[in-house]
Amino acid sequence: MNAKITFQELSVMLAESSGLPRKMSEDFLREFTVLVTETLSAGESVKIKGFGTFKLVEIEERKSVNVATGREMTIPVHLRVTFVPSKELAMSVNSPFSAFETVEIDDEISDSEIESVSSEEMIRNNEESNSDEKESGYRETDGYSIQDKTPDLEDRSEQKGPEPDHVASDYDSSEYHPTFESYLDDEDDVDGPDDMENVSNKDGKRFGQGFVIGSLFTLVIVGIIYFVMFGDLEKGSIKQERVTKREVTKTDTISKEISDTVLNEGKTAEGTLTVDTRPSDEVIYDTISTTRFLTTMAKQHYGNYHLWPYIYEENKAILGHPDRIRPGTKVVIPSLSKYGVDAGNKDDIEKAKRLGAEIYARYN
Amino acid sequence: MDKRTLTDILSKRLNIDKEQTGILLDSFRDVLSDCGRKLDTVSLPGFGTFESKKRMERIALHPATGKRLLIPPKIVLSFKASAILKQKVNKEL
């Protein structure tokens, strides 16, 4: 992580990935940059499908102060080169975090409560992200094993209907779930508080590895105790406030775990995709609403919205036109293995797209 | 300029067929996204650097409903033009 990749390293990686000779990849990179530079200098933008767009943006004249001399000066009108990654590239880069969705926060929680939870988690996050990748604890964060640590988050995000897990079913599911239904477009989030992260990252490095291991285990143990106690004591009478508060905490915890894995091992990105696969014998239900469609469910349960046709196929007896499903309709979410589909396989995604087109064709 | 024109010109200059140029371009994107995922910085001399940044989760207001939303953390790829590219682009100004 945070490594600087030079031109040589990049050309080696490119040669490996493309299977073409090193010389060719080197020439390619050189010519690519030259050509893009030429095109941009000519005032034209470069739009590469599936990759992104290099374009020029005019920056208006503005006043600024020279930090060294304190003298005021004007920065003249100029052009800035911007690169907007395509949706595919942006999604692929973000794949370690693709399991998360935007969560609605209940009005009853005050800002200070949220602050205290998230700042606490952020500090722990930074301590742990600096630890060594050899640490065995991080193995747990791949795929299924997330279930061991935080079973109730798994349940919450995957199952909308009857919940076999005793802990999750302790809560009233109607007040528990709707917060996951909201969606924000990815593109909205361009400016974020990443300065803060950098600063505390430096601080975090002072902590020894031993301390980090210790704090991780304490965290896990405290988590389990907390979880067991509340599961038993407050059966059925848990207040909404507490539920949502814990929801915030759990999202933090999982995000921390996943980001740690990614940052430390780099290559586990595919692992997060498999988070959503379940043993095939479970039956999961979901309910269509005005904000939840088959695609929303496919994205959540399978990690890819293109896979919606399989949900449709499973329920075709009760569904009509896929765009005109009545809100409130309860559908069964089949296991992907039933159709022999792998969410990480590109061919299967293509197959699902064709199946989707076929379903639409039935109604034309 | 679109992808097809780009690959056409590139393959002419490199003296290789378009198919290979296409493979290289796609592999370049894959390599870039792999590096981006690891928060690595890829620098192309004379052109610029591709940098990815982790954005922390944050709380935002839904503009229409006024509800508060917890927006999850994410990794965003960004590009910084090098001084040379900036100069070339602003030559005429």
Side-chain angles (χ1 to χ4, degrees), chain B residues 1-78:
Chain B
M1 186 185 274
D2 58 4
K3 189 174 178 178
R4 188 183 290 169
T5 344
L6 184 89
T7 42
D8 281 358
I9 299 176
L10 276 180
S11 18
K12 244 179 234 158
R13 289 193 188 178
L14 291 164
N15 238 344
I16 54 176
D17 45 311
K18 285 172 199 168
E19 212 171 286
Q20 281 175 316
T21 319
I23 293 171
L24 281 165
L25 195 56
D26 287 345
S27 313
F28 179 43
R29 182 203 47 209
D30 294 344
V31 168
L32 212 57
S33 79
D34 280 347
C35 296
R37 221 174 286 160
K38 290 182 235 164
L39 299 186
D40 287 350
T41 308
V42 178
S43 53
L44 289 162
F47 188 63
T49 47
F50 289 94
E51 229 174 335
S52 60
K53 286 181 175 167
K54 196 176 138 203
R55 304 253 182 254
M56 294 307 285
E57 73 236 312
R58 64 192 172 96
I59 291 157
L61 284 179
H62 191 292
T65 62
K67 290 249 184 202
R68 280 183 300 167
L69 302 166
L70 178 67
I71 295 167
K74 65 164 72 169
I75 298 173
V76 180
L77 183 70
S78 68

Side-chain angles (χ1 to χ4, degrees), chain A residues 40 83 105 120 181 202 227 261-262 269 295 297 346 350:
Chain A
L40 287 174
F83 172 67
I105 302 168
E120 205 178 288
E181 293 179 6
K202 276 178 207 152
F227 188 71
T261 331
V262 170
T295 45
M297 294 173 189
K346 274 184 188 163
E350 286 304 315

Side-chain angles (χ1 to χ4, degrees), chain A residues 275-304:
Chain A
V275 169
D276 294 328
T277 50
R278 285 156 276 103
S280 53
D281 50 343
E282 275 177 66
V283 180
I284 289 145
Y285 297 96
D286 212 331
T287 309
I288 300 274
S289 75
T290 48
T291 54
R292 272 186 84 70
F293 323 112
L294 293 177
T295 45
T296 326
M297 294 173 189
K299 173 89 177 121
Q300 189 193 335
H301 293 280
Y302 306 144
N304 192 320

